[in-house]
Amino acid sequence: MTSFDSSPTLSAWRALLALAVVFVMLATTGWTAVQHQRGPGEPLTAAFSAWERGRIGARHLPDPTGPAKTLTAFFASLDSGQQSRLASRYPLAVGNLNGAPVTLRYRANRIALAQARTAEEGRMQDSRLSSDGRQLAGRRMHRYESLLSGDRQILAFDPSGQGRIAEVLGNLDRAQRVSLVVPGVDTNVLTFERSDRWFSATAGMAESLYSAERKADPGTRTAVIAWADYTSPAGLGVDAAIGKLAEDGAVRLTALTAALPGRSEVSLFCHSYGSVVCGVAARSLPARVTDVAVAGSPGMRVENAAQLGTRAHVWAMRDRDDWIQDVPYLAVGGLGHGADPVTRAFGARVLSAGGAAGHAGYFEPGTESLDNFADIGVGSYRAVTCADTAGSCRSGIAYDGETMAG
C-alpha cells in the first residue's frame, strides 16, 4: 500500500464520495423500505399464533421459535399420522419450522402454496383492489403455480409482504455436502425465478450450481438450497446501504444452517448484498460451515477477513466489468459495508471469475466463477482457479491429510 493510498486526504475524498452516492440513491429511489415492502398482511405470524394455541391429543405444541433440537425431538415423538395431521392443520407453521423433518416441511409448504394460490386467485377478481393490485395478485398466483409444479421441494415459504421462499435441490437428508445460495437486493417470491436471464435469479443460480457440483464430483452426494428466505433491500435505496436487513437475515441464516439434518458440511455462496448477510452471520455460524464464498460483494461489514470471526475458508471474486467495484468500500456512520473483499489487505482467498459478465453473471454455465463455486461446494479445493497465477488462494488448506502450498 502506498502512502497516497492511506493518506487522510484520499480517505476524506472517499468518505465524501460515499455520502454522495448514498444521497443520490436516496434522492432517486427514496426510502424503499416504506415504498416497496408492502404486500399481503402477516399470515406467518397468524399461523404461528394458531400453532401456539394448538394441541396434538392432550399435548401442547412446542414454541415455534424454540431451539431446533427441541422441535426435532417433538416431531420424532410423533407417528407419521400425527405429523401429517399437523402439516395439514398448520401448513404455514410446519413449513417454516427449523427442526421439523424436511420432507414434512415440503408437504406442508405444498399445502400452504396451494392455499396462497387460491387466495391470490380471489384477489384477482376483487373489485375493491386497483387494477395494479389485481395484476399483482395474478403475478403472485402464477408464481405459486410454478412453485407447485412437478416435485419441487420447498423448504420455506412465507407470503407475508413481498414474500420469502427457499427451495432444495437434491436429497437434503442424505447429502454429504450442502450449498446455500444467498442472493442480494430485490429478492422476493416474484423475483425468485425468471423466464429470461434465468441464472441471475435465485432459483437459476441454485440449479446451475447443483448441476456443476454433480459434474465436478459425481461421487459426492450434494444438495443445494436456493435461500431467498430473508427480507432483502428493494432496489439501491437506503436499505441497501445499511446493515439492518442483513442483521435480520443473518439470524435466519444462522438458524437454518444449525438446523440442517445430518452431519453434512455446508458452504455459503453469497452474491451482492447477500455477502453482507453472510458477513454479519459469519461469527455465529456453526462449525459445519466450512466455506463462505462471496461474489460481487459491496463489503462484509468488516475491514478484513479475520474480523469475521469464523474458521470457515473465506473466498471472494469479482469480474472485471462488475459495476459494484465503483461503490465506495467504506463504513461511514453506519452507511456502507466496509472493505473490499477482493483486495489483498482484506485477506480472503481471491478466485478467478473468468467468463462471468456484469454483476449477475457469476452462476452462468461455462464460467470459471461457477466452476470455482462447484469445486468449493464439493470440497475439491485443489481444482479451484485463483485470480493470480501463483495459486495463492489454495495455500494453507488441509486437503486429504496434506496442506497445500499453492
Side-chain angles (χ1 to χ4, degrees), residues 43-399:
L44 183 57
T45 300
F48 279 155
S49 180
W51 168 275
E52 289 172 335
R53 298 190 302 269
R55 293 171 179 258
I56 183 76
R59 299 170 62 185
H60 289 283
L61 301 181
D63 181 357
T65 64
K69 63 181 181 181
T70 300
L71 290 164
T72 299
F74 167 74
F75 281 101
S77 73
L78 305 177
D79 60 38
S80 59
Q82 290 173 316
Q83 290 185 5
S84 294
R85 285 196 292 276
L86 286 178
S88 298
R89 191 179 305 164
Y90 309 104
L92 201 57
V94 173
N96 288 278
L97 288 177
N98 286 324
V102 293
T103 52
L104 188 67
R105 291 179 68 171
Y106 301 157
R107 192 185 319 161
N109 281 319
R110 289 193 70 82
I111 298 171
L113 277 162
Q115 292 176 346
R117 177 188 58 188
T118 299
E120 294 300 335
E121 189 174 17
R123 286 167 58 84
M124 289 173 61
Q125 311 301 323
D126 191 341
S127 60
R128 294 170 297 179
L129 295 178
S130 67
S131 59
D132 286 345
R134 292 193 296 272
Q135 184 180 39
L136 177 60
R139 292 178 62 202
R140 291 173 73 98
M141 186 196 73
H142 290 306
R143 173 63 68 242
Y144 298 155
E145 286 180 342
S146 175
L147 293 168
L148 283 165
S149 64
D151 297 320
R152 299 183 70 167
Q153 301 176 140
I154 306 303
L155 183 66
F157 168 62
D158 179 8
S160 306
Q162 298 291 83
R164 296 193 293 243
I165 192 84
E167 181 178 14
V168 174
L169 303 175
N171 189 322
L172 197 56
D173 283 316
R174 297 186 64 248
Q176 298 166 291
R177 307 272 312 193
V178 174
S179 299
L180 275 82
V181 174
V182 183
V185 300
D186 289 324
T187 296
N188 53 55
V189 164
L190 290 178
T191 63
F192 182 68
E193 54 189 16
R194 295 189 176 105
S195 55
D196 63 330
R197 298 188 301 119
W198 172 255
F199 299 113
S200 67
T202 313
M205 291 177 182
E207 179 187 282
S208 182
L209 180 59
Y210 183 53
S211 177
E213 287 184 351
R214 287 183 295 169
K215 181 179 179 181
D217 187 354
T220 296
R221 298 191 303 274
T222 60
V224 175
I225 302 175
W227 192 76
D229 193 27
Y230 81 103
T231 300
S232 76
L236 297 179
V238 67
D239 285 337
I242 62 177
K244 178 62 172 67
L245 293 180
E247 292 167 3
D248 295 342
V251 172
R252 301 179 67 83
L253 180 60
T254 301
L256 173 63
T257 53
L260 291 173
R263 298 182 178 180
S264 56
E265 295 184 323
V266 178
S267 300
L268 306 182
F269 298 95
C270 319
H271 177 245
S272 193
Y273 190 85
S275 67
V276 186
V277 177
C278 292
V280 175
R283 186 174 298 276
S284 302
L285 293 171
R288 70 191 304 177
V289 177
T290 58
D291 299 275
V292 177
V294 302
S297 174
M300 302 180 74
R301 298 198 73 77
V302 293
E303 292 306 308
N304 56 66
Q307 292 178 358
L308 292 171
T310 178
R311 293 184 179 181
H313 308 125
V314 179
W315 310 83
M317 69 169 68
R318 186 175 65 222
D319 71 66
R320 289 180 295 180
D321 57 354
D322 188 337
W323 59 261
I324 201 74
Q325 64 191 305
D326 297 322
V327 172
Y329 285 91
L330 291 171
V332 181
L335 299 171
H337 303 303
D340 183 350
V342 302
T343 60
R344 179 177 295 182
F346 189 85
R349 300 174 181 276
V350 184
L351 297 159
S352 169
H359 186 59
Y362 295 98
F363 290 83
E364 286 283 343
T367 59
E368 284 188 354
S369 53
L370 176 63
D371 290 344
N372 278 329
F373 282 164
D375 289 330
I376 291 168
V378 298
S380 296
Y381 302 122
R382 277 201 180 102
V384 300
T385 304
C386 303
D388 60 36
T389 56
S392 60
C393 71
R394 296 187 296 266
S395 64
I397 296 180
Y399 189 92

